[in-house]
Amino acid sequence: MDRITGKTGLTGLLGRPVSHSISPLMHNAAFEACGLDYVYLCFDAGEEELESAVNGLKALGARGWNCTMPDKKKMARLCDHLSLAAAATGSVNTVVNEGGVLTGYNTDGIGYMMSLKDAGFDVTGGKMTLLGAGGAALSILAQAAIDGLAEITVFNRRSKSFEDAVAVADYLKTKTDCRIRVCDINDRELLKETIQSSDILVNATNVGMAPDLEGCLIPDASWLPRRMIVSDIIYNPRETKLLKLAKEAGCPFFNGMYMLLYQGAEAYRLWTGVEMPVAMIKQRYFTG
Ligand code: NAP
């Protein structure tokens, strides 16, 4: 390994657990392919260690880092500046360090919107039905509103996340022109009617994720109009029950694999100013 030098820039992932992450593979392969003198490492840091870990990375002059659940909200509070999506969600998964000044970004929503573009769709000015109001759903809500969706309806159970979604929606309404409603997922008539007048349906809940292979918030394919784009941000399994119904209904559909890729690609671009060679990374780590 003669790639690491005395000047190698440090990037990485903070959180617990982190050892399963695909991020070191994709970032280090991209740095090498682009001839960039950076390295990406995983740091096992729990919530109680997060602040001292951030101070340490700052003192060492790290270029930036990612942060996984459950620490994204705490990371937002440790940053000096926030992007609009990070401010809207109060949640940061990517930090850029400019001489000790930390700017926090939320690239999950950008990752989703880039995966949508990658799949060949443009829903600017369109209507989205978004299932879920957890961390990933709110990141998508924020970015989709910023990127020019005309209308987004979020459906969730009446839980703490429901209230969080109302707060994020209220904030976004002051910063974007998007019309946003937060509705009860148990209002089945409203759910069906809203889906049927949407351009795109997104499942951003855990429902359908392995081992819950039969889980699906939509009862059958008749709920899905043929022209509508259907997406599931779950990538295990590759084809959830919802995507099977989309196939049966003749809808275009895609899963969450490339959201994962593109949230990393955006972090890479923010740290280096260079586009990640996504075709190579896809081929190496996101096939099969
Ligand atoms: P989270 O913060 O825990 O949110 C989970 C969401 O699912 C909440 O809105 C929750 O509602 C809802 N939910 C769970 N069980 C439900 C049920 N039985 N009926 C209705 N709603 C239900 O999790 P997250 O981080 O947002 O992740 C959500 C999913 O996205 C996971 O499958 C995760 O793997 C996937 N994900 C994918 C990517 C990617 O890059 N592709 C990135 C992040 C996450 P309540 O609040 O009411 O419980």
Side-chain angles (χ1 to χ4, degrees):
M1 165 74 94
D2 56 5
R3 201 174 74 72
I4 306 297
T5 70
K7 290 180 284 183
T8 301
L10 177 61
T11 65
L13 173 64
L14 287 182
R16 177 168 296 159
V18 288
S19 57
H20 64 285
S21 174
I22 190 177
S23 296
L25 291 175
M26 85 187 193
H27 285 288
N28 288 318
F31 290 145
E32 190 155 9
C34 295
L36 295 174
D37 193 9
Y38 287 97
V39 67
Y40 186 104
L41 300 174
C42 282
F43 301 102
D44 184 273
E47 209 207 321
E48 58 295 350
E49 289 123 24
L50 200 68
E51 188 165 356
S52 43
V54 166
N55 286 333
L57 287 168
K58 239 161 95 165
L60 294 171
R63 175 61 183 137
W65 51 89
N66 290 131
C67 166
T68 69
M69 293 301 288
D71 300 328
K72 295 180 183 180
K73 290 206 179 290
K74 188 162 184 184
M75 190 59 78
R77 293 194 289 273
L78 296 173
C79 289
D80 302 295
H81 305 291
L82 296 175
S83 70
L84 178 52
T89 56
S91 173
V92 160
N93 76 329
T94 301
V95 176
V96 176
N97 178 17
E98 293 285 359
V101 178
L102 304 185
T103 304
Y105 298 85
N106 188 319
T107 70
D108 284 331
I110 296 176
Y112 175 78
M113 294 305 286
M114 288 169 83
S115 73
L116 176 64
K117 191 172 169 205
D118 181 289
F121 305 114
D122 179 2
V123 289
T124 312
K127 290 187 189 177
M128 173 184 279
T129 297
L130 179 59
L131 307 178
L138 296 185
S139 304
I140 293 170
L141 169 63
Q143 198 62 46
I146 292 166
D147 286 358
L149 269 280
E151 193 174 311
I152 304 172
T153 311
V154 179
F155 283 93
N156 204 76
R157 308 184 284 203
R158 286 203 173 266
S159 58
K160 162 81 171 57
S161 323
F162 188 99
E163 303 309 324
D164 292 345
V166 171
V168 172
D170 286 346
Y171 181 88
L172 287 166
K173 282 179 204 163
T174 68
K175 301 283 178 189
T176 72
D177 294 328
C178 188
R179 295 185 296 280
I180 305 172
R181 291 185 297 167
V182 183
C183 302
D184 188 339
I185 201 162
N186 290 315
D187 185 340
R188 306 298 285 173
E189 289 241 322
L190 180 64
L191 176 62
K192 184 174 182 183
E193 185 188 301
T194 308
I195 288 174
Q196 294 190 335
S197 65
S198 293
D199 300 295
I200 178 162
L201 171 66
V202 188
N203 176 44
T205 73
N206 302 326
V207 179
M209 184 171 70
D212 177 25
L213 298 181
E214 285 306 305
C216 186
L217 293 165
I218 305 304
D220 59 63
S222 72
W223 276 44
L224 305 173
R226 198 178 170 78
R227 57 176 174 74
M228 189 179 60
I229 304 159
V230 179
S231 66
D232 202 320
I233 70 165
I234 292 170
Y235 49 85
N236 178 22
R238 297 281 199 272
E239 200 172 292
T240 57
K241 178 77 185 289
L242 174 66
L243 296 188
K244 287 187 167 67
L245 293 182
K247 196 189 250 180
E248 188 185 328
C251 301
F253 63 91
F254 62 99
N255 67 21
M257 283 295 286
Y258 291 164
M259 172 175 169
L260 184 65
L261 165 68
Y262 283 112
Q263 62 74 33
E266 178 63 6
Y268 184 92
R269 193 186 66 78
L270 289 166
W271 295 326
T272 66
V274 172
E275 298 294 332
M276 180 181 269
V278 287
M280 181 272 280
I281 299 296
K282 269 183 187 175
Q283 209 238 332
R284 213 185 272 188
Y285 302 111
F286 289 83
T287 49

